[in-house]
Amino acid sequence: MENALEIKGLCKSYGEFSLKDVSFSLPKGYIMGFVGQNGAGKTTTIRSMMNMAHPDSGEIKIFGLDSIQDSCAIKQDIGVVFDDLYFTPHLTPKQIAAQLKCFYRHWSDEKFFGLLDKFKLPAKKKCGQFSRGMKMKLMLSAALAHDAQLLILDEPTSGLDPVARDELLDILTEYIGDENKSILFSTHITADLERIADYITILHDGKIFYCDTKDRLMEKYIVIKGGVEELPKEIEERSIGYHAYRNGFEAMFERSYESELPDGIIAESADIDEILVYIAKEAAKNEKA
Amino acid sequence: MKIIIKNKSDMPIYEQIKEQIRSQILDGSVEENEPLPSIRQLARDLKISVITTTRAYNDLMDEGFIISVAGKGYYVAPKNNELLRERLLRSVEDSLELAVRDARTAGLSEEELIGLLKTIMEE
């Protein structure tokens, strides 16, 4: 399978923070969810891909091209949507189009204004006055108007109402429909990913914790709950983020241990939010120890 | 063809898709040789992952319910009654086995269980 994005051994440190040997790839034609706590390194990884941050070591290939050497060629074919508008706020969409046209080889006014129409965005209003949902749609319109082959979304849904989020999911599933386009989608709203993402990459403390298909992730972990005395010590040791409170305990396990659990313990599939929470709890526990 | 996904279901989404396509093929509401939506079209319509729909289609192909025609897409497989019957028989056996096991756990006698089966069949 051809990869739209390939990251190998990416390392980068800034003071306290560091990305440690981050490697993953996104096959062409699919959506990858990119999740992790704030400060886990998602934005640094994205900034490195865009040649906005300079890695200490490692290699990033986008469409098979080197992210540093071929940065200009790559940028022709990627579109980004961030949580905040990156266009000058006093410009109107019409003025933005006039500017972007000069930079993008494949820019299409027809497509851009068609999308503005579809999303009901006024072409002659200053974009700084747009609502959050409108800003997100404006960035998407610009990305789609230059025929981006890879969309990079960094928290596009934060602060959006459920209707706008649903519209975004619609646009994204339509976008990858032609089998050639790919999406890297970083978000804290994991319910969006649980539906549309094909792959999930979890970053924790600058390292990859998980990178594989979403279906496998959803099957991999269970959350169990029960009375403290019900769980044998040797099983507790294999838990992730074990946490006891007055009336019982909660912990996450790999599903492969399910058969060893004593009767009477409640086991439920863990969703992405729970997985993130238990990974963080486990890390906090190990730090204390 | 009708496919409805329950978000809050214990059944994984790919199973739900399989189950619904399979039962519509079995009850004849989808004809043989009828084209199915493409993997990507279905993912888009249901707003779910492409990998999930791929898995459902692959399983249905393995089970002989649908076929893939290179360059054209997926179709409901021509009816193979022998195979279908075989599969249904196996499913009946499995379900009965399960029922017997539960009946034993519940301490039901043989007559009671058969009585129950008859009542259900009369419904």
Side-chain angles (χ1 to χ4, degrees), chain A residues 91-97 112-113 116-117 120-127 130 134 138:
Chain A
L91 293 182
T92 65
K94 199 171 168 224
Q95 291 167 321
I96 292 170
F112 183 74
F113 290 103
L116 290 188
D117 237 24
K120 301 192 177 63
L121 298 175
K124 291 179 183 161
K125 190 175 162 182
K126 287 179 180 165
C127 65
F130 283 9
M134 290 162 80
L138 177 61

PDB file of all heavy atoms in Angstrom, chain A residues 91-97 112-113 116-117 120-127 130 134 138:
ATOM      1  N   LEU A  91      -9.369  40.497   6.127  1.00  0.00           N
ATOM      2  CA  LEU A  91      -9.613  40.169   4.713  1.00  0.00           C
ATOM      3  C   LEU A  91     -10.927  39.416   4.554  1.00  0.00           C
ATOM      4  O   LEU A  91     -11.351  38.668   5.437  1.00  0.00           O
ATOM      5  CB  LEU A  91      -8.478  39.293   4.172  1.00  0.00           C
ATOM      6  CG  LEU A  91      -7.095  39.947   4.063  1.00  0.00           C
ATOM      7  CD1 LEU A  91      -6.110  38.950   3.474  1.00  0.00           C
ATOM      8  CD2 LEU A  91      -7.143  41.214   3.219  1.00  0.00           C
ATOM      9  N   THR A  92     -11.552  39.586   3.401  1.00  0.00           N
ATOM     10  CA  THR A  92     -12.769  38.835   3.086  1.00  0.00           C
ATOM     11  C   THR A  92     -12.349  37.565   2.337  1.00  0.00           C
ATOM     12  O   THR A  92     -11.252  37.517   1.770  1.00  0.00           O
ATOM     13  CB  THR A  92     -13.686  39.654   2.158  1.00  0.00           C
ATOM     14  OG1 THR A  92     -12.997  39.816   0.909  1.00  0.00           O
ATOM     15  CG2 THR A  92     -14.008  41.010   2.742  1.00  0.00           C
ATOM     16  N   PRO A  93     -13.213  36.535   2.302  1.00  0.00           N
ATOM     17  CA  PRO A  93     -12.868  35.320   1.545  1.00  0.00           C
ATOM     18  C   PRO A  93     -12.469  35.645   0.104  1.00  0.00           C
ATOM     19  O   PRO A  93     -11.573  35.021  -0.462  1.00  0.00           O
ATOM     20  CB  PRO A  93     -14.154  34.507   1.600  1.00  0.00           C
ATOM     21  CG  PRO A  93     -14.771  34.889   2.902  1.00  0.00           C
ATOM     22  CD  PRO A  93     -14.460  36.358   3.069  1.00  0.00           C
ATOM     23  N   LYS A  94     -13.115  36.647  -0.485  1.00  0.00           N
ATOM     24  CA  LYS A  94     -12.816  37.004  -1.871  1.00  0.00           C
ATOM     25  C   LYS A  94     -11.360  37.492  -1.990  1.00  0.00           C
ATOM     26  O   LYS A  94     -10.628  37.100  -2.908  1.00  0.00           O
ATOM     27  CB  LYS A  94     -13.783  38.100  -2.315  1.00  0.00           C
ATOM     28  CG  LYS A  94     -13.881  38.221  -3.798  1.00  0.00           C
ATOM     29  CD  LYS A  94     -14.991  39.148  -4.225  1.00  0.00           C
ATOM     30  CE  LYS A  94     -14.807  39.414  -5.711  1.00  0.00           C
ATOM     31  NZ  LYS A  94     -14.989  40.801  -6.047  1.00  0.00           N
ATOM     32  N   GLN A  95     -10.949  38.320  -1.037  1.00  0.00           N
ATOM     33  CA  GLN A  95      -9.567  38.818  -1.061  1.00  0.00           C
ATOM     34  C   GLN A  95      -8.570  37.701  -0.778  1.00  0.00           C
ATOM     35  O   GLN A  95      -7.491  37.652  -1.360  1.00  0.00           O
ATOM     36  CB  GLN A  95      -9.413  39.931  -0.006  1.00  0.00           C
ATOM     37  CG  GLN A  95     -10.166  41.193  -0.380  1.00  0.00           C
ATOM     38  CD  GLN A  95     -10.283  42.178   0.789  1.00  0.00           C
ATOM     39  OE1 GLN A  95     -10.488  41.771   1.929  1.00  0.00           O
ATOM     40  NE2 GLN A  95     -10.149  43.460   0.510  1.00  0.00           N
ATOM     41  N   ILE A  96      -8.966  36.777   0.113  1.00  0.00           N
ATOM     42  CA  ILE A  96      -8.090  35.640   0.424  1.00  0.00           C
ATOM     43  C   ILE A  96      -7.867  34.804  -0.830  1.00  0.00           C
ATOM     44  O   ILE A  96      -6.740  34.404  -1.144  1.00  0.00           O
ATOM     45  CB  ILE A  96      -8.697  34.794   1.570  1.00  0.00           C
ATOM     46  CG1 ILE A  96      -8.656  35.596   2.877  1.00  0.00           C
ATOM     47  CG2 ILE A  96      -7.940  33.474   1.729  1.00  0.00           C
ATOM     48  CD1 ILE A  96      -9.435  34.969   4.019  1.00  0.00           C
ATOM     49  N   ALA A  97      -8.949  34.576  -1.578  1.00  0.00           N
ATOM     50  CA  ALA A  97      -8.843  33.783  -2.806  1.00  0.00           C
ATOM     51  C   ALA A  97      -7.857  34.436  -3.773  1.00  0.00           C
ATOM     52  O   ALA A  97      -7.023  33.757  -4.398  1.00  0.00           O
ATOM     53  CB  ALA A  97     -10.216  33.633  -3.454  1.00  0.00           C
ATOM     54  N   PHE A 112     -13.594  27.078  -5.096  1.00  0.00           N
ATOM     55  CA  PHE A 112     -13.585  27.844  -3.850  1.00  0.00           C
ATOM     56  C   PHE A 112     -14.933  28.546  -3.634  1.00  0.00           C
ATOM     57  O   PHE A 112     -15.560  28.401  -2.584  1.00  0.00           O
ATOM     58  CB  PHE A 112     -12.447  28.865  -3.874  1.00  0.00           C
ATOM     59  CG  PHE A 112     -12.319  29.662  -2.600  1.00  0.00           C
ATOM     60  CD1 PHE A 112     -11.801  29.079  -1.447  1.00  0.00           C
ATOM     61  CD2 PHE A 112     -12.711  30.990  -2.550  1.00  0.00           C
ATOM     62  CE1 PHE A 112     -11.673  29.802  -0.263  1.00  0.00           C
ATOM     63  CE2 PHE A 112     -12.588  31.729  -1.366  1.00  0.00           C
ATOM     64  CZ  PHE A 112     -12.071  31.132  -0.223  1.00  0.00           C
ATOM     65  N   PHE A 113     -15.405  29.270  -4.674  1.00  0.00           N
ATOM     66  CA  PHE A 113     -16.659  30.014  -4.490  1.00  0.00           C
ATOM     67  C   PHE A 113     -17.860  29.065  -4.427  1.00  0.00           C
ATOM     68  O   PHE A 113     -18.850  29.349  -3.759  1.00  0.00           O
ATOM     69  CB  PHE A 113     -16.806  31.113  -5.547  1.00  0.00           C
ATOM     70  CG  PHE A 113     -15.824  32.236  -5.320  1.00  0.00           C
ATOM     71  CD1 PHE A 113     -14.665  32.350  -6.104  1.00  0.00           C
ATOM     72  CD2 PHE A 113     -16.006  33.145  -4.284  1.00  0.00           C
ATOM     73  CE1 PHE A 113     -13.739  33.355  -5.865  1.00  0.00           C
ATOM     74  CE2 PHE A 113     -15.080  34.153  -4.034  1.00  0.00           C
ATOM     75  CZ  PHE A 113     -13.943  34.258  -4.824  1.00  0.00           C
ATOM     76  N   LEU A 116     -17.892  28.047  -0.836  1.00  0.00           N
ATOM     77  CA  LEU A 116     -18.410  29.134   0.006  1.00  0.00           C
ATOM     78  C   LEU A 116     -19.941  29.126  -0.053  1.00  0.00           C
ATOM     79  O   LEU A 116     -20.625  29.270   0.956  1.00  0.00           O
ATOM     80  CB  LEU A 116     -17.916  30.503  -0.489  1.00  0.00           C
ATOM     81  CG  LEU A 116     -16.435  30.847  -0.321  1.00  0.00           C
ATOM     82  CD1 LEU A 116     -16.198  32.303  -0.700  1.00  0.00           C
ATOM     83  CD2 LEU A 116     -15.936  30.588   1.086  1.00  0.00           C
ATOM     84  N   ASP A 117     -20.443  28.944  -1.263  1.00  0.00           N
ATOM     85  CA  ASP A 117     -21.878  28.889  -1.476  1.00  0.00           C
ATOM     86  C   ASP A 117     -22.510  27.740  -0.715  1.00  0.00           C
ATOM     87  O   ASP A 117     -23.502  27.903  -0.013  1.00  0.00           O
ATOM     88  CB  ASP A 117     -22.121  28.658  -2.975  1.00  0.00           C
ATOM     89  CG  ASP A 117     -22.991  29.745  -3.546  1.00  0.00           C
ATOM     90  OD1 ASP A 117     -22.997  30.839  -2.944  1.00  0.00           O
ATOM     91  OD2 ASP A 117     -23.655  29.488  -4.572  1.00  0.00           O
ATOM     92  N   LYS A 120     -22.537  28.297   2.846  1.00  0.00           N
ATOM     93  CA  LYS A 120     -23.212  29.559   3.177  1.00  0.00           C
ATOM     94  C   LYS A 120     -22.277  30.558   3.856  1.00  0.00           C
ATOM     95  O   LYS A 120     -22.597  31.165   4.871  1.00  0.00           O
ATOM     96  CB  LYS A 120     -24.437  29.312   4.058  1.00  0.00           C
ATOM     97  CG  LYS A 120     -25.458  28.394   3.399  1.00  0.00           C
ATOM     98  CD  LYS A 120     -26.775  28.405   4.161  1.00  0.00           C
ATOM     99  CE  LYS A 120     -27.810  27.550   3.477  1.00  0.00           C
ATOM    100  NZ  LYS A 120     -27.420  26.108   3.413  1.00  0.00           N
ATOM    101  N   LEU A 121     -21.077  30.700   3.287  1.00  0.00           N
ATOM    102  CA  LEU A 121     -20.123  31.678   3.817  1.00  0.00           C
ATOM    103  C   LEU A 121     -20.180  32.931   2.944  1.00  0.00           C
ATOM    104  O   LEU A 121     -20.092  32.820   1.724  1.00  0.00           O
ATOM    105  CB  LEU A 121     -18.693  31.105   3.788  1.00  0.00           C
ATOM    106  CG  LEU A 121     -18.406  29.867   4.626  1.00  0.00           C
ATOM    107  CD1 LEU A 121     -16.987  29.380   4.388  1.00  0.00           C
ATOM    108  CD2 LEU A 121     -18.614  30.149   6.104  1.00  0.00           C
ATOM    109  N   PRO A 122     -20.333  34.117   3.540  1.00  0.00           N
ATOM    110  CA  PRO A 122     -20.380  35.342   2.744  1.00  0.00           C
ATOM    111  C   PRO A 122     -18.993  35.663   2.169  1.00  0.00           C
ATOM    112  O   PRO A 122     -18.006  35.674   2.904  1.00  0.00           O
ATOM    113  CB  PRO A 122     -20.813  36.415   3.741  1.00  0.00           C
ATOM    114  CG  PRO A 122     -20.527  35.863   5.090  1.00  0.00           C
ATOM    115  CD  PRO A 122     -20.496  34.368   4.982  1.00  0.00           C
ATOM    116  N   ALA A 123     -18.907  35.890   0.862  1.00  0.00           N
ATOM    117  CA  ALA A 123     -17.613  36.120   0.211  1.00  0.00           C
ATOM    118  C   ALA A 123     -17.086  37.511   0.503  1.00  0.00           C
ATOM    119  O   ALA A 123     -15.901  37.782   0.340  1.00  0.00           O
ATOM    120  CB  ALA A 123     -17.753  35.913  -1.296  1.00  0.00           C
ATOM    121  N   LYS A 124     -17.971  38.409   0.929  1.00  0.00           N
ATOM    122  CA  LYS A 124     -17.527  39.795   1.080  1.00  0.00           C
ATOM    123  C   LYS A 124     -17.593  40.307   2.511  1.00  0.00           C
ATOM    124  O   LYS A 124     -17.730  41.500   2.746  1.00  0.00           O
ATOM    125  CB  LYS A 124     -18.355  40.698   0.157  1.00  0.00           C
ATOM    126  CG  LYS A 124     -18.028  40.438  -1.306  1.00  0.00           C
ATOM    127  CD  LYS A 124     -18.851  41.295  -2.219  1.00  0.00           C
ATOM    128  CE  LYS A 124     -18.538  40.943  -3.668  1.00  0.00           C
ATOM    129  NZ  LYS A 124     -19.602  41.400  -4.555  1.00  0.00           N
ATOM    130  N   LYS A 125     -17.500  39.381   3.457  1.00  0.00           N
ATOM    131  CA  LYS A 125     -17.484  39.801   4.856  1.00  0.00           C
ATOM    132  C   LYS A 125     -16.098  39.497   5.406  1.00  0.00           C
ATOM    133  O   LYS A 125     -15.476  38.502   5.012  1.00  0.00           O
ATOM    134  CB  LYS A 125     -18.555  39.005   5.606  1.00  0.00           C
ATOM    135  CG  LYS A 125     -18.814  39.498   7.016  1.00  0.00           C
ATOM    136  CD  LYS A 125     -19.979  38.709   7.625  1.00  0.00           C
ATOM    137  CE  LYS A 125     -19.966  38.846   9.125  1.00  0.00           C
ATOM    138  NZ  LYS A 125     -21.013  38.081   9.784  1.00  0.00           N
ATOM    139  N   LYS A 126     -15.609  40.344   6.309  1.00  0.00           N
ATOM    140  CA  LYS A 126     -14.286  40.100   6.891  1.00  0.00           C
ATOM    141  C   LYS A 126     -14.296  38.787   7.669  1.00  0.00           C
ATOM    142  O   LYS A 126     -15.183  38.551   8.490  1.00  0.00           O
ATOM    143  CB  LYS A 126     -13.906  41.251   7.827  1.00  0.00           C
ATOM    144  CG  LYS A 126     -13.560  42.504   7.071  1.00  0.00           C
ATOM    145  CD  LYS A 126     -13.213  43.645   7.989  1.00  0.00           C
ATOM    146  CE  LYS A 126     -12.877  44.848   7.134  1.00  0.00           C
ATOM    147  NZ  LYS A 126     -12.878  46.088   7.920  1.00  0.00           N
ATOM    148  N   CYS A 127     -13.298  37.935   7.397  1.00  0.00           N
ATOM    149  CA  CYS A 127     -13.360  36.598   7.979  1.00  0.00           C
ATOM    150  C   CYS A 127     -13.119  36.608   9.485  1.00  0.00           C
ATOM    151  O   CYS A 127     -13.473  35.674  10.180  1.00  0.00           O
ATOM    152  CB  CYS A 127     -12.413  35.643   7.259  1.00  0.00           C
ATOM    153  SG  CYS A 127     -10.690  36.075   7.433  1.00  0.00           S
ATOM    154  N   PHE A 130     -16.244  35.993  11.383  1.00  0.00           N
ATOM    155  CA  PHE A 130     -16.943  34.718  11.245  1.00  0.00           C
ATOM    156  C   PHE A 130     -17.043  33.993  12.587  1.00  0.00           C
ATOM    157  O   PHE A 130     -16.204  34.176  13.469  1.00  0.00           O
ATOM    158  CB  PHE A 130     -16.166  33.802  10.279  1.00  0.00           C
ATOM    159  CG  PHE A 130     -16.342  34.147   8.823  1.00  0.00           C
ATOM    160  CD1 PHE A 130     -16.980  35.309   8.438  1.00  0.00           C
ATOM    161  CD2 PHE A 130     -15.858  33.277   7.845  1.00  0.00           C
ATOM    162  CE1 PHE A 130     -17.140  35.620   7.093  1.00  0.00           C
ATOM    163  CE2 PHE A 130     -16.010  33.579   6.501  1.00  0.00           C
ATOM    164  CZ  PHE A 130     -16.649  34.754   6.124  1.00  0.00           C
ATOM    165  N   MET A 134     -17.759  28.791  10.929  1.00  0.00           N
ATOM    166  CA  MET A 134     -17.525  29.394   9.612  1.00  0.00           C
ATOM    167  C   MET A 134     -16.033  29.480   9.312  1.00  0.00           C
ATOM    168  O   MET A 134     -15.600  29.255   8.180  1.00  0.00           O
ATOM    169  CB  MET A 134     -18.152  30.802   9.569  1.00  0.00           C
ATOM    170  CG  MET A 134     -19.675  30.781   9.562  1.00  0.00           C
ATOM    171  SD  MET A 134     -20.344  32.391  10.041  1.00  0.00           S
ATOM    172  CE  MET A 134     -20.200  33.296   8.499  1.00  0.00           C
ATOM    173  N   LEU A 138     -14.124  27.877   6.205  1.00  0.00           N
ATOM    174  CA  LEU A 138     -13.336  28.710   5.294  1.00  0.00           C
ATOM    175  C   LEU A 138     -11.953  28.074   5.056  1.00  0.00           C
ATOM    176  O   LEU A 138     -11.485  27.979   3.916  1.00  0.00           O
ATOM    177  CB  LEU A 138     -13.185  30.126   5.873  1.00  0.00           C
ATOM    178  CG  LEU A 138     -12.323  31.092   5.049  1.00  0.00           C
ATOM    179  CD1 LEU A 138     -12.913  31.298   3.652  1.00  0.00           C
ATOM    180  CD2 LEU A 138     -12.186  32.439   5.759  1.00  0.00           C
TER     181      LEU A 138
END
